[in-house]
């Protein structure tokens, strides 16, 4: 136990309960937006349990947004995911090679490394404080704020009043129970043994493999630092104590390697859940990450969904607290995030039914059918090129209504590409968007149609400008200018058009250059101006 005699601040703009990977990412983002935030956690250290191992390009893009450099923590790029059945052979494959929006489509990583990097990142900001050894025990909210009661390690209680409180306190969230939210959904009846091994002399696998044997389904994958993960489903009657035993683990690993040729670093037995809250918000209290939704890990989207929550909520809280937007915009957090989190859980359940068929006939039929469907090119690409993965496109929320047929979808993710800035440096385009609302011009200076007054209103609400040109073009205007080196941006919208991009890289509005003033006025109206 730490000797924790710290006095907590009496007031703070945003109080974050839980400093796991999602809480730490929210803290780092709020740090960038200049919001005064306090994150508390009942423990001091990051959890060392074997948990998240895979991240997709969207997650990596959010980590970039939070300020993590590409090499902040080690990763292995995964070129493909294979699904194998002992009876019908390889019946499924996902092509995860290449990159999307500036990041590899799939990587594996070591979760404690990511958490340490994110904590280090949030420590850069004087406006963000993190304190371990404080557990939330109660909260009361009224029209102007939230009073949180926190218990220190010596048992004494302190109170912190915040404008908004965010529950990032994981699957057993106290915040969730204090705001009376049900965790709807199901829990699986099977248990899984997760084994993370290290110190294997040479990497034995370079991809993710699901061995979908109904008798003992086993996902297997590499991780950085010479690590490897196996996940073994327990058979009926097997107990946690039996399977965590060293001799039993050696038997399980025997088809791949003798147990003395690697070190079992971490092991844990888990039961998986597919659960989601009815609402991610209650008044001034928000739920993010596992506190709001938990998914079986078959598509590696639990933490990824939590990172999407943090990115979506952070800028909205910042804009409200800094007086740049009406508090009504906060309602869009639940509208935008909950449907997508639910879709990801549904996909994970579908994948789970392939990974763990109930018996041999069902395995034969299901895996055989999947194998046959791959003969139809459309269905093959649906699975192989990950088109089955729900797109992060919102149906309702903080953006202008979708217009069918537009290349750039309102309420969808703005693309990211490789660009050269005016000082000659080459990097990713999100870094040029920065932490602002941005009026982007595709092959055109977005400022030329704007009068002084509208520019003042826009900039007062955190608005900036960015002109995207072709590789080799230059601009002499004062508007920030980037060259689109791999044509990842200019190809996504008509030349001469504009887009309003939110700080979380969602398209808020778009239209022709002649309507620049209208685009800004309508975007400001969405913010409540
Ligand atoms: C076996 C397994 C494999 C997985 N694989 C993947 C994967 O490949 N990809 C992926 O994206 N996700 C994966 N996940 C999911 C991922 O690990 C979680 O979604 C993620 O860790 C959740 O982060 P979080 O910050 O929301 O919660 P947590 O990491 O649980 O953090 C919550 C924090 O809140 C603190 N806390 C709790 N209660 C209180 C309180 N009352 N007061 C103060 N502090 C409190 C806790 O101490 C903790 O530090 C996997 C999970 C498992 C179990």
């Amino acid at each position: 136990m730490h000797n924790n005699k710290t006095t907590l601040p009496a007031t703070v703009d945003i109080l974050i309960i839980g400093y796991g990977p999602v809480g730490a990412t929210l803290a780092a983002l709020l740090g960038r937006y200049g919001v005064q935030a306090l994150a508390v956690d009942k423990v001091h250290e990051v959890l060392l349990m074997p948990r998240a191992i895979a991240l997709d390009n969207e997650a990596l893009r959010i980590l970039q947004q939070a300020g993590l450099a590409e090499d902040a923590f080690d990763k292995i790029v995964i070129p493909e995911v294979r699904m194998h059945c002992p009876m019908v052979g390889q019946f499924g494959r996902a092509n995860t090679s290449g990159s999307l929006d500036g990041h590899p489509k799939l990587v594996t990583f070591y979760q404690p490394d990511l958490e340490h990097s994110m904590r280090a990142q949030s420590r850069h900001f004087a406006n963000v404080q993190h304190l371990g050894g404080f557990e939330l025990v109660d909260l009361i909210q009224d029209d102007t704020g939230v009073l949180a009661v926190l218990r220190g390690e010596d048992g004494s209680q302190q109170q912190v009043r915040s404008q908004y409180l965010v529950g990032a306190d994981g699957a057993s969230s106290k915040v969730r129970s204090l705001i009376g939210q049900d965790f709807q959904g199901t829990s699986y009846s099977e248990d899984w043994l997760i084994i993370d091994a290290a110190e294997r002399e040479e990497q034995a696998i370079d991809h993710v493999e699901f061995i979908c044997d109904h008798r003992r389904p086993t996902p297997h994958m590499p991780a950085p630092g010479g690590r490897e993960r196996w996940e073994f489903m327990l058979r009926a009657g097997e107990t946690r104590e039996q399977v965590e035993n060293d001799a039993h683990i050696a038997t399980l690993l025997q088809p791949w390697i003798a147990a003395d040729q690697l070190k079992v670093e971490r092991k844990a037995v888990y039961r998986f859940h597919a659960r989601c809250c009815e609402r991610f918000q209650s008044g001034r209290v928000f739920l993010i990450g596992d506190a709001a939704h938990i998914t079986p890990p078959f598509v590696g989207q639990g933490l990824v969904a939590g990172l999407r929550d943090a990115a979506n909520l952070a800028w909205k809280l910042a804009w409200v607290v800094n007086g740049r937007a009406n508090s009504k915009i906060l309602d869009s957090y639940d509208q935008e995030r909950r449907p997508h989190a639910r879709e990801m859980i549904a996909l994970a359940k579908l994948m789970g039914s392939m990974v763990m068929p109930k018996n041999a006939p069902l395995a034969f039929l299901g895996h055989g059918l999947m194998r046959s469907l791959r003969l139809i090119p459309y269905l093959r690409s649906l699975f192989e090129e990950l088109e089955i993965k729900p797109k992060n496109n919102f149906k309702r929320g903080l953006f202008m209504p979708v217009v069918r047929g537009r290349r750039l979808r309102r309420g969808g993710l703005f693309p990211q590409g490789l660009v050269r800035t005016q000082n000659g440096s080459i990097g990713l385009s999100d870094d040029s968007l920065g932490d602002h609302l941005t009026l982007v011009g595709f092959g055109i200076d977005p400022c030329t149609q704007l009068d002084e007054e509208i520019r003042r209103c826009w900039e007062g609400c955190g608005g900036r400008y960015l002109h995207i040109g072709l590789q080799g073009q230059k601009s002499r205007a004062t508007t920030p200018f980037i060259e689109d080196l791999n044509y990842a941006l200019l190809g996504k919208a008509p030349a001469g058009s504009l887009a309003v991009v939110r700080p979380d890289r969602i398209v808020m509005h778009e239209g022709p250059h002649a309507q620049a003033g209208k685009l800004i006025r309508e975007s400001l109206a969405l913010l409540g101006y």
Side-chain angles (χ1 to χ4, degrees), residues 18 21-22 41-42 51-54 111 134 136 169 290 300 302-304:
V22 177
D41 201 296
K42 61 183 178 186
R51 300 195 298 161
I53 187 164
Q111 184 169 345
F134 288 99
L136 177 85
D169 50 344
D290 278 17
L303 174 54
V304 177

Side-chain angles (χ1 to χ4, degrees), residues 16-24 40-47 49-56 59 107-109 111 115 119 133-137 150 167-175 192 194 221 229 231 268 270-272 288-307 309:
I16 306 168
I17 307 296
Y19 202 52
V22 177
V40 292
D41 201 296
K42 61 183 178 186
V43 299
H44 292 263
E45 305 301 334
V46 305
L47 280 176
M49 303 279 283
R51 300 195 298 161
I53 187 164
L55 291 176
D56 69 5
V107 299
T108 57
F109 72 112
Q111 184 169 345
E115 293 195 39
R119 286 182 174 204
F134 288 99
E135 181 176 3
L136 177 85
V137 289
L150 297 149
D169 50 344
S172 314
S173 172
K174 179 79 179 175
V175 177
W192 287 75
I194 315 296
M221 62 213 79
R229 173 173 292 185
E231 301 176 357
Y270 287 103
R271 181 160 292 197
F272 298 147
I288 62 173
D290 278 17
H293 43 72
I294 43 174
T295 168
F298 302 118
V299 287
Q301 283 285 324
L303 174 54
V304 177
L307 295 175
D309 298 341

Side-chain angles (χ1 to χ4, degrees), residues 439 444-452 454-455 496 498 512-518 520-521:
L439 181 68
I444 195 155
D445 183 340
C447 295
T448 54
Q449 299 274 325
L450 301 175
D451 60 38
E452 270 311 306
I454 197 137
R455 285 188 68 144
L498 305 180
H513 178 237
Q515 293 178 5
K518 182 169 178 274
I520 287 194
R521 274 191 295 279

Side-chain angles (χ1 to χ4, degrees), residues 146-158:
V146 187
L147 187 72
V149 182
L150 297 149
R151 184 170 51 218
E153 286 166 321
D154 61 359
S156 65
Q157 295 192 348
Q158 298 187 49

Side-chain angles (χ1 to χ4, degrees), residues 243-262:
V243 294
E244 281 186 344
N245 170 291
D246 288 348
H248 186 78
I249 290 176
T251 317
L252 290 172
L253 294 182
Q254 201 261 325
W256 289 273
I257 189 168
D260 61 0
Q261 286 175 36
L262 42 67

